[in-house]
Amino acid sequence: MDSNGQSPRMRGPHALYFENLSRRKVAMEKDTNQRKLRVCVATCNRADYSKLAPIMFGIKAESAYFELSVVVIGSHLIDDYGNTYRMIEQDDFDIQARLHTIVRGEDEAAMVESVGLALVKLPDVLNRLKPDIIIVHGDRFDALALATSAALMNIRILHIEGGEVSGTIDDSIRHAITKLSHYHVCCTRSAEQHLIAMCEDHDRILLAGCPSYDKLLNVKNKDYMGVMKAWLGDDVKPEEYIVALQHPVTTDIKHSVKMFEFTLDALISFNKRTLVLFPNIDAGSKEMVRVMRKKGVEHHPNFRAVKHVPFEQFIQLVAHAGCMIGNSSCGVREAGAFGTPVINLGTRQTGRETGENVLHVRDADTENKIIHALQLQFGKRYPCSKIYGDGNSVPRIVKFLKSISLSEPLQKKFCFPPVKESISQDIDHILETLSALAVDLGGTNLRIAIVSMKGEIIKKYAQPNPKTYEDRIELILKMCVEAASEAVSLNCRILGVGISTGGRVNPHEGVVLHSTKLIQEWSSVDLRTPLSDTLHLPVWVDNDGNCAALAERKFGQGKGIEDFVTVITGTGIGGGVIHHNELVHGSSFCAGELGHIMVSFDGPECMCGSHGCIEAYASGIALQREAKRLHDEDLLLVEDMSLKNDESVTAVHLIQAAKLGNSKASNILKTAGTALGIGIVNILHTINPSLVILSGVLANQYVNPVKEVIRQRGLASVQDVAVVVSNLSDPALLGAASMVLDYTTRRTY
């Protein structure tokens, strides 16, 4: 028992975590009183410096806690690769050691010799600097030499971006560095889970996001025209140029050089202004440079070939490019933050988590394949993706560094299976609830909610829906920004925005093609772009009937059911179809328009302009129309019923009259139930679902009539299909949220 009379076994992981953190903090304060923590940041090339620089600035700003030293090795110091160590000096960092560790040759043997040369030179530097901890990034062979040297010299190692999965030899090097490292900073939840599966200590893993995102989420709004003109010429325009960055694949050099040749041929044929960066120093880069020169890239009028672009400028070029092509991790990581279209060639990034902006051409073995990919991607824009970070990673990393106690044992310990539940090292992240921002765009009201992963509506907002397009968009943006801001105080991390709206929707583009008569001036409206640009979040849009089906699949009666149909019975009649666990949209996005199944040749007129649709019989508007007709003929009200002078006649009065014995009202409801039942029989005979879910305010009214019609008119094979009433209180909002939560769960953000 502990001092509170509680068994340690009975305490949850969070309580144990806070106790460990408290002990660490006390030890850290003791150490801080004695001296600062000596932190050495080692950088090998331009790419890893873009991730390490934000951390270095964060450490430098906390000079009361840390003493920073910088070691530069690798291609930073090679003229052919731009002498990129100058970037570090321009950022006003003192470089304590410069080590020439690259053996030229750009083949497999040269890489091995470079690792060996680094291992020979590093011990003297580390003995002189005597760091308490060394920060190493990524999966380069230079980084492996750094981690090996530090581990053998009993220096603590903090590894950035461990746990990720890509292709080639990089995976093996990255995981080897992980096993040598004492502390881990990862960018995605999937990477965190991989580290845990690799038996790393839970308490020494921080899910922080990618440090480069701290800069790049704010860079797009800066003055970019000057940068574009400097690198691509005075006549270049945003989104009308291509950024190409392709590196050799060390496990198949011959194929990767051939693929690079196809890429350059395709870019020449595509005939757009293109910025081509030289490849990195891996084995095969020499052959790729020869291909560039053979094709005349450095002298081609459409091409600008450069060895290096400063990171901030490079990111602005990527942000405003019409497309990025190649196999750089920047394409699958940083480019997603801007929604820039990316073509990822070959296997070098296989396994990386990507946003929907990335088109993979795994087997890029012909020029035509690459040209086709360029035609598909060039000039498109995608939702901004935050898979790799939210712009707050550096404060988390600095906080993590402050928590490290030198009194803790240097010897690593491994957490072998069974694997415990993932616990992030960051306190704020532990308290956050992964959530979606759900928007229900109705004819009368605009509703927004913060919805948790479990389907709990944490906070709801509602405003009358303005009538004009401009006012409506303005209100949506205003309410979403306010809700996203309030989510922070509610400890909710918003993963994206889902919008449920009436009418026909193209969910791939986030565009409302044609809306219902309830929402005027709402055709060919792009809802995704303004919201994504304002909130820097991915946005999904779909029809309200489809959203209801998605809500049932994730939270309701359809959970675990492979094939089912949801029918909404409300103001109108709508629905959605789930087939083999996937929502059916149809070739022109009008699948699920169940209310417009015709059940009569000469029935009443429907709002769609046709006659005899289910909606013309069974919708709330249809029942209200019949109730008004009876009332005008003095045939609606019966004993115990009354209407106030200013009270409007609604479908509720028709149902009330039927319950009180009004035979004409009962006949109208019977006809409506029969029409809906016949429509559902047609659905059963067409797509053969195993379940029908009735949703909406009229669901309880119709469930028994529909079952009866199925028994009378359905084939024997469908008469046993279950018909149930939805138990969800707000399917429109929950369905909008499920679009976000399902996607982000798949992407394991």
PDB file of all heavy atoms in Angstrom, residues 625-652:
ATOM      1  N   ARG A 625     -48.951  18.770 -46.068  1.00  0.00           N
ATOM      2  CA  ARG A 625     -49.847  19.162 -47.170  1.00  0.00           C
ATOM      3  C   ARG A 625     -51.216  18.504 -47.013  1.00  0.00           C
ATOM      4  O   ARG A 625     -52.261  19.161 -47.145  1.00  0.00           O
ATOM      5  CB  ARG A 625     -49.208  18.738 -48.504  1.00  0.00           C
ATOM      6  CG  ARG A 625     -50.015  19.087 -49.745  1.00  0.00           C
ATOM      7  CD  ARG A 625     -49.459  18.358 -50.951  1.00  0.00           C
ATOM      8  NE  ARG A 625     -49.635  16.919 -50.827  1.00  0.00           N
ATOM      9  CZ  ARG A 625     -48.713  16.021 -51.105  1.00  0.00           C
ATOM     10  NH1 ARG A 625     -47.503  16.405 -51.486  1.00  0.00           N
ATOM     11  NH2 ARG A 625     -48.975  14.730 -50.973  1.00  0.00           N
ATOM     12  N   GLU A 626     -51.234  17.220 -46.688  1.00  0.00           N
ATOM     13  CA  GLU A 626     -52.506  16.508 -46.518  1.00  0.00           C
ATOM     14  C   GLU A 626     -53.249  16.996 -45.274  1.00  0.00           C
ATOM     15  O   GLU A 626     -54.488  17.088 -45.268  1.00  0.00           O
ATOM     16  CB  GLU A 626     -52.246  15.003 -46.437  1.00  0.00           C
ATOM     17  CG  GLU A 626     -51.736  14.380 -47.731  1.00  0.00           C
ATOM     18  CD  GLU A 626     -52.720  14.576 -48.872  1.00  0.00           C
ATOM     19  OE1 GLU A 626     -53.894  14.180 -48.718  1.00  0.00           O
ATOM     20  OE2 GLU A 626     -52.327  15.166 -49.899  1.00  0.00           O
ATOM     21  N   ALA A 627     -52.498  17.299 -44.216  1.00  0.00           N
ATOM     22  CA  ALA A 627     -53.142  17.822 -42.998  1.00  0.00           C
ATOM     23  C   ALA A 627     -53.820  19.156 -43.281  1.00  0.00           C
ATOM     24  O   ALA A 627     -54.949  19.409 -42.817  1.00  0.00           O
ATOM     25  CB  ALA A 627     -52.095  17.975 -41.893  1.00  0.00           C
ATOM     26  N   LYS A 628     -53.180  20.017 -44.036  1.00  0.00           N
ATOM     27  CA  LYS A 628     -53.775  21.317 -44.392  1.00  0.00           C
ATOM     28  C   LYS A 628     -55.028  21.127 -45.244  1.00  0.00           C
ATOM     29  O   LYS A 628     -56.022  21.851 -45.084  1.00  0.00           O
ATOM     30  CB  LYS A 628     -52.748  22.175 -45.139  1.00  0.00           C
ATOM     31  CG  LYS A 628     -51.665  22.765 -44.241  1.00  0.00           C
ATOM     32  CD  LYS A 628     -50.691  23.610 -45.053  1.00  0.00           C
ATOM     33  CE  LYS A 628     -49.647  24.255 -44.145  1.00  0.00           C
ATOM     34  NZ  LYS A 628     -48.650  25.030 -44.915  1.00  0.00           N
ATOM     35  N   ARG A 629     -54.956  20.153 -46.176  1.00  0.00           N
ATOM     36  CA  ARG A 629     -56.135  19.891 -47.023  1.00  0.00           C
ATOM     37  C   ARG A 629     -57.323  19.457 -46.172  1.00  0.00           C
ATOM     38  O   ARG A 629     -58.449  19.971 -46.346  1.00  0.00           O
ATOM     39  CB  ARG A 629     -55.793  18.814 -48.060  1.00  0.00           C
ATOM     40  CG  ARG A 629     -56.942  18.482 -49.010  1.00  0.00           C
ATOM     41  CD  ARG A 629     -56.530  17.429 -50.022  1.00  0.00           C
ATOM     42  NE  ARG A 629     -56.180  16.164 -49.403  1.00  0.00           N
ATOM     43  CZ  ARG A 629     -57.077  15.285 -48.954  1.00  0.00           C
ATOM     44  NH1 ARG A 629     -58.382  15.543 -49.016  1.00  0.00           N
ATOM     45  NH2 ARG A 629     -56.671  14.154 -48.408  1.00  0.00           N
ATOM     46  N   LEU A 630     -57.080  18.532 -45.243  1.00  0.00           N
ATOM     47  CA  LEU A 630     -58.175  18.100 -44.366  1.00  0.00           C
ATOM     48  C   LEU A 630     -58.686  19.254 -43.512  1.00  0.00           C
ATOM     49  O   LEU A 630     -59.902  19.402 -43.310  1.00  0.00           O
ATOM     50  CB  LEU A 630     -57.707  16.955 -43.461  1.00  0.00           C
ATOM     51  CG  LEU A 630     -57.459  15.588 -44.108  1.00  0.00           C
ATOM     52  CD1 LEU A 630     -57.039  14.583 -43.048  1.00  0.00           C
ATOM     53  CD2 LEU A 630     -58.707  15.097 -44.833  1.00  0.00           C
ATOM     54  N   HIS A 631     -57.767  20.072 -43.031  1.00  0.00           N
ATOM     55  CA  HIS A 631     -58.170  21.199 -42.179  1.00  0.00           C
ATOM     56  C   HIS A 631     -59.003  22.203 -42.958  1.00  0.00           C
ATOM     57  O   HIS A 631     -60.011  22.732 -42.462  1.00  0.00           O
ATOM     58  CB  HIS A 631     -56.930  21.878 -41.594  1.00  0.00           C
ATOM     59  CG  HIS A 631     -57.254  22.939 -40.590  1.00  0.00           C
ATOM     60  ND1 HIS A 631     -57.203  24.287 -40.878  1.00  0.00           N
ATOM     61  CD2 HIS A 631     -57.667  22.845 -39.295  1.00  0.00           C
ATOM     62  CE1 HIS A 631     -57.547  24.980 -39.809  1.00  0.00           C
ATOM     63  NE2 HIS A 631     -57.833  24.127 -38.831  1.00  0.00           N
ATOM     64  N   ASP A 632     -58.608  22.470 -44.215  1.00  0.00           N
ATOM     65  CA  ASP A 632     -59.375  23.404 -45.054  1.00  0.00           C
ATOM     66  C   ASP A 632     -60.774  22.874 -45.327  1.00  0.00           C
ATOM     67  O   ASP A 632     -61.720  23.656 -45.546  1.00  0.00           O
ATOM     68  CB  ASP A 632     -58.637  23.642 -46.379  1.00  0.00           C
ATOM     69  CG  ASP A 632     -57.339  24.423 -46.188  1.00  0.00           C
ATOM     70  OD1 ASP A 632     -57.188  25.040 -45.105  1.00  0.00           O
ATOM     71  OD2 ASP A 632     -56.479  24.411 -47.099  1.00  0.00           O
ATOM     72  N   GLU A 633     -60.917  21.532 -45.326  1.00  0.00           N
ATOM     73  CA  GLU A 633     -62.229  20.912 -45.563  1.00  0.00           C
ATOM     74  C   GLU A 633     -62.954  20.613 -44.252  1.00  0.00           C
ATOM     75  O   GLU A 633     -63.975  19.917 -44.242  1.00  0.00           O
ATOM     76  CB  GLU A 633     -62.040  19.615 -46.358  1.00  0.00           C
ATOM     77  CG  GLU A 633     -61.456  19.833 -47.756  1.00  0.00           C
ATOM     78  CD  GLU A 633     -61.080  18.530 -48.446  1.00  0.00           C
ATOM     79  OE1 GLU A 633     -61.353  17.451 -47.863  1.00  0.00           O
ATOM     80  OE2 GLU A 633     -60.524  18.581 -49.555  1.00  0.00           O
ATOM     81  N   ASP A 634     -62.395  21.139 -43.122  1.00  0.00           N
ATOM     82  CA  ASP A 634     -62.957  20.897 -41.782  1.00  0.00           C
ATOM     83  C   ASP A 634     -63.058  19.414 -41.458  1.00  0.00           C
ATOM     84  O   ASP A 634     -64.004  18.961 -40.788  1.00  0.00           O
ATOM     85  CB  ASP A 634     -64.342  21.558 -41.645  1.00  0.00           C
ATOM     86  CG  ASP A 634     -64.247  23.067 -41.608  1.00  0.00           C
ATOM     87  OD1 ASP A 634     -63.214  23.575 -41.117  1.00  0.00           O
ATOM     88  OD2 ASP A 634     -65.182  23.741 -42.074  1.00  0.00           O
ATOM     89  N   LEU A 635     -62.086  18.635 -41.917  1.00  0.00           N
ATOM     90  CA  LEU A 635     -62.099  17.191 -41.688  1.00  0.00           C
ATOM     91  C   LEU A 635     -60.927  16.722 -40.827  1.00  0.00           C
ATOM     92  O   LEU A 635     -60.728  15.523 -40.651  1.00  0.00           O
ATOM     93  CB  LEU A 635     -62.057  16.449 -43.035  1.00  0.00           C
ATOM     94  CG  LEU A 635     -63.239  16.676 -43.981  1.00  0.00           C
ATOM     95  CD1 LEU A 635     -62.983  16.015 -45.328  1.00  0.00           C
ATOM     96  CD2 LEU A 635     -64.529  16.130 -43.351  1.00  0.00           C
ATOM     97  N   LEU A 636     -60.157  17.657 -40.281  1.00  0.00           N
ATOM     98  CA  LEU A 636     -58.965  17.261 -39.527  1.00  0.00           C
ATOM     99  C   LEU A 636     -59.246  17.113 -38.037  1.00  0.00           C
ATOM    100  O   LEU A 636     -58.937  16.088 -37.433  1.00  0.00           O
ATOM    101  CB  LEU A 636     -57.842  18.289 -39.734  1.00  0.00           C
ATOM    102  CG  LEU A 636     -56.559  18.024 -38.934  1.00  0.00           C
ATOM    103  CD1 LEU A 636     -55.894  16.731 -39.397  1.00  0.00           C
ATOM    104  CD2 LEU A 636     -55.590  19.199 -39.067  1.00  0.00           C
ATOM    105  N   LEU A 637     -59.817  18.133 -37.451  1.00  0.00           N
ATOM    106  CA  LEU A 637     -59.965  18.157 -35.991  1.00  0.00           C
ATOM    107  C   LEU A 637     -61.077  17.227 -35.535  1.00  0.00           C
ATOM    108  O   LEU A 637     -62.152  17.160 -36.133  1.00  0.00           O
ATOM    109  CB  LEU A 637     -60.242  19.582 -35.515  1.00  0.00           C
ATOM    110  CG  LEU A 637     -59.177  20.637 -35.860  1.00  0.00           C
ATOM    111  CD1 LEU A 637     -59.569  21.988 -35.284  1.00  0.00           C
ATOM    112  CD2 LEU A 637     -57.816  20.206 -35.324  1.00  0.00           C
ATOM    113  N   VAL A 638     -60.793  16.490 -34.477  1.00  0.00           N
ATOM    114  CA  VAL A 638     -61.793  15.630 -33.847  1.00  0.00           C
ATOM    115  C   VAL A 638     -61.877  16.025 -32.383  1.00  0.00           C
ATOM    116  O   VAL A 638     -61.208  16.958 -31.924  1.00  0.00           O
ATOM    117  CB  VAL A 638     -61.423  14.141 -34.002  1.00  0.00           C
ATOM    118  CG1 VAL A 638     -61.457  13.719 -35.459  1.00  0.00           C
ATOM    119  CG2 VAL A 638     -60.055  13.863 -33.388  1.00  0.00           C
ATOM    120  N   GLU A 639     -62.672  15.319 -31.654  1.00  0.00           N
ATOM    121  CA  GLU A 639     -62.850  15.635 -30.235  1.00  0.00           C
ATOM    122  C   GLU A 639     -61.507  15.587 -29.499  1.00  0.00           C
ATOM    123  O   GLU A 639     -60.670  14.743 -29.771  1.00  0.00           O
ATOM    124  CB  GLU A 639     -63.823  14.620 -29.615  1.00  0.00           C
ATOM    125  CG  GLU A 639     -64.253  14.993 -28.200  1.00  0.00           C
ATOM    126  CD  GLU A 639     -65.267  14.023 -27.632  1.00  0.00           C
ATOM    127  OE1 GLU A 639     -65.761  13.172 -28.394  1.00  0.00           O
ATOM    128  OE2 GLU A 639     -65.560  14.118 -26.441  1.00  0.00           O
ATOM    129  N   ASP A 640     -61.312  16.504 -28.575  1.00  0.00           N
ATOM    130  CA  ASP A 640     -60.076  16.657 -27.788  1.00  0.00           C
ATOM    131  C   ASP A 640     -58.934  17.277 -28.595  1.00  0.00           C
ATOM    132  O   ASP A 640     -57.787  17.260 -28.165  1.00  0.00           O
ATOM    133  CB  ASP A 640     -59.598  15.317 -27.208  1.00  0.00           C
ATOM    134  CG  ASP A 640     -60.580  14.773 -26.177  1.00  0.00           C
ATOM    135  OD1 ASP A 640     -61.271  15.592 -25.542  1.00  0.00           O
ATOM    136  OD2 ASP A 640     -60.647  13.535 -26.034  1.00  0.00           O
ATOM    137  N   MET A 641     -59.217  17.776 -29.813  1.00  0.00           N
ATOM    138  CA  MET A 641     -58.206  18.489 -30.603  1.00  0.00           C
ATOM    139  C   MET A 641     -58.639  19.926 -30.828  1.00  0.00           C
ATOM    140  O   MET A 641     -59.830  20.210 -30.983  1.00  0.00           O
ATOM    141  CB  MET A 641     -58.013  17.833 -31.988  1.00  0.00           C
ATOM    142  CG  MET A 641     -57.109  16.635 -32.003  1.00  0.00           C
ATOM    143  SD  MET A 641     -56.804  16.084 -33.703  1.00  0.00           S
ATOM    144  CE  MET A 641     -55.728  17.401 -34.299  1.00  0.00           C
ATOM    145  N   SER A 642     -57.646  20.821 -30.832  1.00  0.00           N
ATOM    146  CA  SER A 642     -57.931  22.233 -31.119  1.00  0.00           C
ATOM    147  C   SER A 642     -56.679  22.878 -31.690  1.00  0.00           C
ATOM    148  O   SER A 642     -55.573  22.401 -31.503  1.00  0.00           O
ATOM    149  CB  SER A 642     -58.374  22.964 -29.851  1.00  0.00           C
ATOM    150  OG  SER A 642     -57.321  22.961 -28.895  1.00  0.00           O
ATOM    151  N   LEU A 643     -56.903  23.965 -32.407  1.00  0.00           N
ATOM    152  CA  LEU A 643     -55.808  24.743 -32.975  1.00  0.00           C
ATOM    153  C   LEU A 643     -55.979  26.198 -32.575  1.00  0.00           C
ATOM    154  O   LEU A 643     -57.087  26.749 -32.646  1.00  0.00           O
ATOM    155  CB  LEU A 643     -55.806  24.668 -34.508  1.00  0.00           C
ATOM    156  CG  LEU A 643     -55.158  23.449 -35.160  1.00  0.00           C
ATOM    157  CD1 LEU A 643     -55.387  23.484 -36.657  1.00  0.00           C
ATOM    158  CD2 LEU A 643     -53.675  23.421 -34.875  1.00  0.00           C
ATOM    159  N   LYS A 644     -54.877  26.818 -32.135  1.00  0.00           N
ATOM    160  CA  LYS A 644     -54.930  28.250 -31.860  1.00  0.00           C
ATOM    161  C   LYS A 644     -54.996  29.014 -33.180  1.00  0.00           C
ATOM    162  O   LYS A 644     -54.605  28.506 -34.226  1.00  0.00           O
ATOM    163  CB  LYS A 644     -53.693  28.676 -31.063  1.00  0.00           C
ATOM    164  CG  LYS A 644     -53.611  28.022 -29.693  1.00  0.00           C
ATOM    165  CD  LYS A 644     -52.318  28.403 -28.980  1.00  0.00           C
ATOM    166  CE  LYS A 644     -52.214  27.680 -27.638  1.00  0.00           C
ATOM    167  NZ  LYS A 644     -50.929  27.954 -26.950  1.00  0.00           N
ATOM    168  N   ASN A 645     -55.465  30.259 -33.097  1.00  0.00           N
ATOM    169  CA  ASN A 645     -55.656  31.041 -34.325  1.00  0.00           C
ATOM    170  C   ASN A 645     -54.378  31.190 -35.142  1.00  0.00           C
ATOM    171  O   ASN A 645     -54.407  31.175 -36.366  1.00  0.00           O
ATOM    172  CB  ASN A 645     -56.207  32.440 -33.984  1.00  0.00           C
ATOM    173  CG  ASN A 645     -57.639  32.348 -33.445  1.00  0.00           C
ATOM    174  OD1 ASN A 645     -58.348  31.396 -33.783  1.00  0.00           O
ATOM    175  ND2 ASN A 645     -58.041  33.301 -32.617  1.00  0.00           N
ATOM    176  N   ASP A 646     -53.245  31.377 -34.440  1.00  0.00           N
ATOM    177  CA  ASP A 646     -51.990  31.624 -35.151  1.00  0.00           C
ATOM    178  C   ASP A 646     -51.152  30.354 -35.307  1.00  0.00           C
ATOM    179  O   ASP A 646     -50.007  30.407 -35.734  1.00  0.00           O
ATOM    180  CB  ASP A 646     -51.163  32.685 -34.410  1.00  0.00           C
ATOM    181  CG  ASP A 646     -50.863  32.270 -32.967  1.00  0.00           C
ATOM    182  OD1 ASP A 646     -51.513  31.319 -32.476  1.00  0.00           O
ATOM    183  OD2 ASP A 646     -49.993  32.921 -32.340  1.00  0.00           O
ATOM    184  N   GLU A 647     -51.720  29.188 -34.971  1.00  0.00           N
ATOM    185  CA  GLU A 647     -50.958  27.940 -35.019  1.00  0.00           C
ATOM    186  C   GLU A 647     -51.013  27.330 -36.413  1.00  0.00           C
ATOM    187  O   GLU A 647     -52.088  27.204 -37.011  1.00  0.00           O
ATOM    188  CB  GLU A 647     -51.513  26.944 -34.001  1.00  0.00           C
ATOM    189  CG  GLU A 647     -50.643  25.701 -33.844  1.00  0.00           C
ATOM    190  CD  GLU A 647     -51.174  24.766 -32.753  1.00  0.00           C
ATOM    191  OE1 GLU A 647     -52.173  25.139 -32.080  1.00  0.00           O
ATOM    192  OE2 GLU A 647     -50.603  23.682 -32.581  1.00  0.00           O
ATOM    193  N   SER A 648     -49.842  26.956 -36.943  1.00  0.00           N
ATOM    194  CA  SER A 648     -49.772  26.343 -38.272  1.00  0.00           C
ATOM    195  C   SER A 648     -50.113  24.860 -38.179  1.00  0.00           C
ATOM    196  O   SER A 648     -49.791  24.190 -37.194  1.00  0.00           O
ATOM    197  CB  SER A 648     -48.367  26.496 -38.859  1.00  0.00           C
ATOM    198  OG  SER A 648     -48.038  27.851 -39.004  1.00  0.00           O
ATOM    199  N   VAL A 649     -50.774  24.363 -39.225  1.00  0.00           N
ATOM    200  CA  VAL A 649     -51.090  22.941 -39.297  1.00  0.00           C
ATOM    201  C   VAL A 649     -49.833  22.188 -39.743  1.00  0.00           C
ATOM    202  O   VAL A 649     -49.170  22.576 -40.704  1.00  0.00           O
ATOM    203  CB  VAL A 649     -52.236  22.686 -40.292  1.00  0.00           C
ATOM    204  CG1 VAL A 649     -52.522  21.188 -40.403  1.00  0.00           C
ATOM    205  CG2 VAL A 649     -53.477  23.426 -39.850  1.00  0.00           C
ATOM    206  N   THR A 650     -49.503  21.103 -39.034  1.00  0.00           N
ATOM    207  CA  THR A 650     -48.304  20.319 -39.351  1.00  0.00           C
ATOM    208  C   THR A 650     -48.640  18.837 -39.413  1.00  0.00           C
ATOM    209  O   THR A 650     -49.776  18.416 -39.120  1.00  0.00           O
ATOM    210  CB  THR A 650     -47.208  20.526 -38.283  1.00  0.00           C
ATOM    211  OG1 THR A 650     -47.668  19.958 -37.044  1.00  0.00           O
ATOM    212  CG2 THR A 650     -46.895  22.001 -38.092  1.00  0.00           C
ATOM    213  N   ALA A 651     -47.627  18.029 -39.741  1.00  0.00           N
ATOM    214  CA  ALA A 651     -47.787  16.576 -39.773  1.00  0.00           C
ATOM    215  C   ALA A 651     -48.131  16.030 -38.392  1.00  0.00           C
ATOM    216  O   ALA A 651     -48.810  15.001 -38.269  1.00  0.00           O
ATOM    217  CB  ALA A 651     -46.504  15.924 -40.291  1.00  0.00           C
ATOM    218  N   VAL A 652     -47.695  16.720 -37.342  1.00  0.00           N
ATOM    219  CA  VAL A 652     -47.986  16.283 -35.967  1.00  0.00           C
ATOM    220  C   VAL A 652     -49.493  16.238 -35.733  1.00  0.00           C
ATOM    221  O   VAL A 652     -50.021  15.312 -35.095  1.00  0.00           O
ATOM    222  CB  VAL A 652     -47.308  17.221 -34.950  1.00  0.00           C
ATOM    223  CG1 VAL A 652     -47.740  16.875 -33.528  1.00  0.00           C
ATOM    224  CG2 VAL A 652     -45.792  17.137 -35.081  1.00  0.00           C
TER     225      VAL A 652
END
